[in-house]
Amino acid sequence: MYQVGDYVVKMNAGICHIEDIVHMDEVSGNKDKLYYLLVPLSDGKMKIYVPTDHGDSVLRKALTSQEAWDVIGNISQIQAADIENEKLREQEYKEAIRSCRPESWVSIIKTMYQRKQKRFAQGKKEGAMDERYFHMAEEYLYTELAFAIGRKKGEMCQLIADTIEKGGKEEK
């Protein structure tokens, strides 16, 4: 169970702060049912209620600083997703986004980057679906890494490139 004050990641909401754990008997009709009251960092006015008994299936703790540096340091070892069936490409992208796992986001970012390079070499444009999921994965990844290490989201792309260039050694 998460605690008040914890930072968690929720699909489609990003990083959220657990403001409270509350009863909402008028919603569920069960006076004993508890809910996490989440406030997304991206919108401090929004409130999201998640049943505590479903918390582990829809939430995960936000990365710590060390975990974020580990992800950054391991980016070059994370493999691009191997998507054989073109018809299942969007489904694979959706699953990676829904997983809320930074390694999955990196994997599909790499996949889409490689695919984009190949298409450009063939004189083709990047597909709209690839572009949409690429930006979504980048947004989730950069937002969480920036939050965890106390940097600005706009610094993440260059920081990652610099870290990879230095052989994965962190630049705290």
Side-chain angles (χ1 to χ4, degrees):
M1 189 162 163
Y2 301 106
Q3 304 300 315
V4 171
D6 285 349
Y7 287 93
V8 294
V9 177
K10 182 180 182 310
M11 186 181 70
N12 295 332
I15 299 171
C16 298
H17 184 250
I18 298 179
E19 292 285 321
D20 204 353
I21 299 175
V22 297
H23 290 279
M24 291 183 53
D25 19 315
E26 61 274 354
V27 173
S28 68
N30 181 347
K31 294 183 184 204
D32 296 325
K33 189 159 181 125
L34 291 172
Y35 291 80
Y36 296 114
L37 168 56
L38 308 178
V39 177
L41 294 185
S42 62
D43 182 356
K45 295 178 183 176
M46 182 187 292
K47 293 181 185 329
I48 301 170
Y49 294 90
V50 175
T52 57
D53 56 351
H54 290 83
D56 288 334
S57 63
V58 296
L59 304 174
R60 73 162 169 80
K61 276 229 181 206
L63 295 177
T64 64
S65 178
Q66 185 58 55
E67 290 167 337
W69 282 112
D70 289 346
V71 168
I72 293 168
N74 291 325
I75 283 178
S76 57
Q77 282 78 46
I78 297 172
Q79 298 296 310
D82 186 23
I83 302 171
E84 299 285 327
N85 187 335
E86 281 295 315
K87 293 179 182 178
L88 298 178
R89 178 173 298 285
E90 185 171 19
Q91 183 179 333
E92 294 279 338
Y93 290 167
K94 282 180 182 178
E95 286 175 21
I97 295 295
R98 272 191 227 127
S99 76
C100 284
R101 292 185 48 242
E103 296 82 3
S104 295
W105 299 331
V106 170
S107 181
I108 63 167
I109 288 170
K110 283 184 166 187
T111 301
M112 289 181 266
Y113 180 78
Q114 290 170 357
R115 184 172 158 81
K116 180 180 179 178
Q117 296 306 312
K118 188 183 283 186
R119 289 180 64 84
F120 281 160
Q122 296 170 345
K124 297 178 182 177
K125 290 183 175 182
E126 178 179 26
M129 177 183 62
D130 283 354
E131 186 177 0
R132 184 174 69 246
Y133 284 101
F134 181 86
H135 290 299
M136 199 180 303
E138 247 188 352
E139 174 72 17
Y140 286 136
L141 179 67
Y142 291 174
T143 298
E144 186 165 4
L145 293 176
F147 171 77
I149 64 174
R151 300 278 182 100
K152 293 180 181 168
K153 185 175 69 172
E155 297 174 26
M156 289 298 97
C157 186
Q158 188 62 52
L159 185 136
I160 289 168
D162 292 346
T163 304
I164 290 170
E165 188 176 301
K166 293 176 184 172
K169 292 185 178 61
E170 55 194 67
E171 182 188 285
K172 291 184 182 176

